[in-house]
Amino acid sequence: MHSTKILKANDSATRIENNTDLVTEILIRLPVKSLLRFKCVSRTWLSLISNPDFCHRRNHSLTISALLLLINPHSHHTSQYEILNLDKTNSFLCNKILYFQGIKILQSCCGLLLCCGYSPEKRSKNYYVYNPIITNLEKSFDLLPNQDGRFYSRIFGMVLAYDPLTSPHYKVIGVRRSRHKFHFVIDIFSSQTTSWKRFTGKTPFEEDECVDFNGGAFCNGVIFWKTGSENTLLCFELEIERVRKFAGPENGDFLSVRIDFIGASRRNFHVLCSCKKGIDYTEYFVYEMNHDLSGWILKYRFNFNAVAISCSVTKVPTSSELFNVFRVLAIVVAEKAEDSFLVFHMAGKLIRYNLNDKSFRSLYHFDPNIYGDFFMLGSSEVHGFMEMLA
């Protein structure tokens, strides 16, 4: 009788195992780290998990689920990043701190991290692409080759371009000064060829325009940078290798519009603009760019004074003070519009602010005894992260 039950149980397990549709529906709901381990269970599971259609379904949202926060910004030796979960279902890593010896994160893109390390002895920089999800499971650090001994010394900015829904390969775009004093050159590294190539097209931008090359954002095959102009972007279209200027959103109800933050969420490019009607920039708008780069769609609007009061800021800052006390660090447009939110730094805290119902909650508090009363996070000290099956 007992052996009959075992046989029936084995038969049921076999039927489930042979039902690839059912197994796929089960596996696709598991955390990325579990899926990487389960590749070793059988050839069937390896084939299922490695299938591009499976990866596409598992990665479809492309929404950040955590923030990597540099908690010792003044250290020159060890970088410590605390992981702040934004999604209750997020299973990202077992540890709550990421440690890097002599390396700092420059950018995050779809689950991959672009990092930079400096060697004082050799007086040189090394750049890496790192996947923290597969640490201790597979090779996780990719060292980018240095074209020549002086190549990295002239780098003004690096941007990681990766979209797992279109290709398993990533690119790194390096912007550096050319021999001409005021012009820049773009070099492109491909993980598919493991080599750099020179962008041969015209590069119509100059140093005195103050392009923020370290703050680039990648979305739908295009890299965007903020420029010295308040409401102008510089963009580089990778597929056709074209550099051009792009006008930011316009709003005729205001005296001026200034782009304060750029980012990507759910394969859409967004900008946060502050608008000035009187003497202060107090009205904020979140715009989304059309996929064909033809224009902007207004998504959300909020008033800074109302946010400051609701978050118990006793003194509302003036326009000149605003940048030092209020800084947006992430725009997360959720699958359900009512769940979309901002993450910003204000009054010594990281705050998650719902763009629909205006609710908020504190994510992190900066101890003034450690960070000081006037500490303000820089864009290089916090990075959005998403679990990605690559």
Side-chain angles (χ1 to χ4, degrees), residues 17-267:
E17 184 180 0
N18 292 333
N19 188 336
T20 55
D21 290 339
L22 179 58
V23 172
T24 298
E25 290 303 318
I26 295 172
L27 291 176
I28 210 156
R29 289 165 170 77
L30 297 179
V32 169
K33 204 164 187 179
S34 298
L35 290 174
L36 293 171
R37 290 196 179 99
F38 289 164
K39 284 184 176 182
C40 303
V41 170
S42 68
R43 290 182 179 179
T44 301
W45 283 27
L46 172 62
S47 177
L48 283 174
I49 297 170
S50 303
N51 187 291
D53 290 336
F54 181 92
C55 294
H56 188 282
R57 288 185 61 193
R58 181 60 179 75
N59 297 337
H60 76 281
S61 68
L62 292 186
T63 302
I64 66 170
S65 56
L67 293 178
L68 306 182
L69 173 66
L70 182 64
I71 56 177
N72 60 337
H74 304 300
S75 174
H76 298 290
H77 304 290
T78 302
S79 301
Q80 299 179 39
Y81 291 87
E82 184 159 350
I83 302 163
L84 303 180
N85 282 339
L86 302 175
D87 185 347
K88 293 180 180 178
T89 64
N90 183 33
S91 64
F92 171 55
L93 300 181
C94 296
N95 303 320
K96 291 191 175 181
I97 303 289
L98 282 179
Y99 293 94
F100 294 96
Q101 192 66 36
I103 295 176
K104 288 190 176 180
I105 300 171
L106 299 180
Q107 183 205 0
S108 173
C109 184
C110 293
L112 297 182
L113 305 178
L114 177 63
C115 306
C116 179
Y118 178 73
S119 173
E121 298 81 11
K122 297 181 179 180
R123 295 183 180 180
S124 64
K125 292 180 180 179
N126 286 321
Y127 289 89
Y128 308 86
V129 174
Y130 173 63
N131 187 343
I133 291 293
I134 60 176
T135 303
N136 300 324
L137 295 174
E138 301 174 32
K139 180 176 177 289
S140 55
F141 270 99
D142 288 341
L143 174 63
L144 303 187
N146 194 338
Q147 284 187 316
D148 58 63
R150 295 176 298 170
F151 177 65
Y152 287 150
S153 65
R154 300 194 298 269
I155 286 291
F156 273 70
M158 287 275 207
V159 182
L160 178 61
Y162 176 55
D163 185 346
L165 301 188
T166 59
S167 172
H169 305 289
Y170 63 81
K171 292 182 179 180
V172 177
I173 287 72
V175 182
R176 60 189 177 91
R177 183 186 295 165
S178 70
R179 293 181 180 179
H180 189 286
K181 183 177 180 181
F182 297 107
H183 287 84
F184 293 96
V185 173
I186 292 178
D187 294 277
I188 305 169
F189 173 82
S190 168
S191 65
Q192 185 173 15
T193 62
T194 66
S195 62
W196 290 91
K197 77 168 187 175
R198 176 71 50 82
F199 163 57
T200 57
K202 184 180 179 182
T203 52
F205 50 96
E206 299 181 353
E207 181 180 352
D208 57 4
E209 292 191 46
C210 301
V211 179
D212 182 14
F213 290 120
N214 280 318
F218 172 74
C219 185
N220 292 326
V222 183
I223 294 172
F224 299 90
W225 293 280
K226 291 197 300 180
T227 71
S229 174
E230 286 190 341
N231 197 29
T232 303
L233 297 169
L234 183 72
C235 72
F236 179 51
E237 298 168 77
L238 270 70
E239 187 67 27
I240 59 177
E241 295 192 357
R242 178 174 66 174
V243 178
R244 65 184 176 114
K245 294 286 183 63
F246 198 90
E250 295 183 359
N251 194 318
D253 295 334
F254 294 87
L255 294 175
S256 61
V257 178
R258 181 182 67 196
I259 297 175
D260 288 344
F261 176 85
I262 62 175
S265 182
R266 299 187 62 81
R267 305 196 80 203

Side-chain angles (χ1 to χ4, degrees), residues 241-296:
E241 295 192 357
R242 178 174 66 174
V243 178
R244 65 184 176 114
K245 294 286 183 63
F246 198 90
E250 295 183 359
N251 194 318
D253 295 334
F254 294 87
L255 294 175
S256 61
V257 178
R258 181 182 67 196
I259 297 175
D260 288 344
F261 176 85
I262 62 175
S265 182
R266 299 187 62 81
R267 305 196 80 203
N268 291 303
F269 178 70
H270 299 95
V271 297
L272 176 85
C273 295
S274 56
C275 298
K276 180 163 66 173
K277 184 169 280 187
I279 61 172
D280 293 335
Y281 288 93
T282 58
E283 295 290 329
Y284 283 83
F285 297 81
V286 176
Y287 289 91
E288 181 177 288
M289 180 181 284
N290 293 327
H291 282 199
D292 61 359
L293 308 183
S294 61
W296 300 92

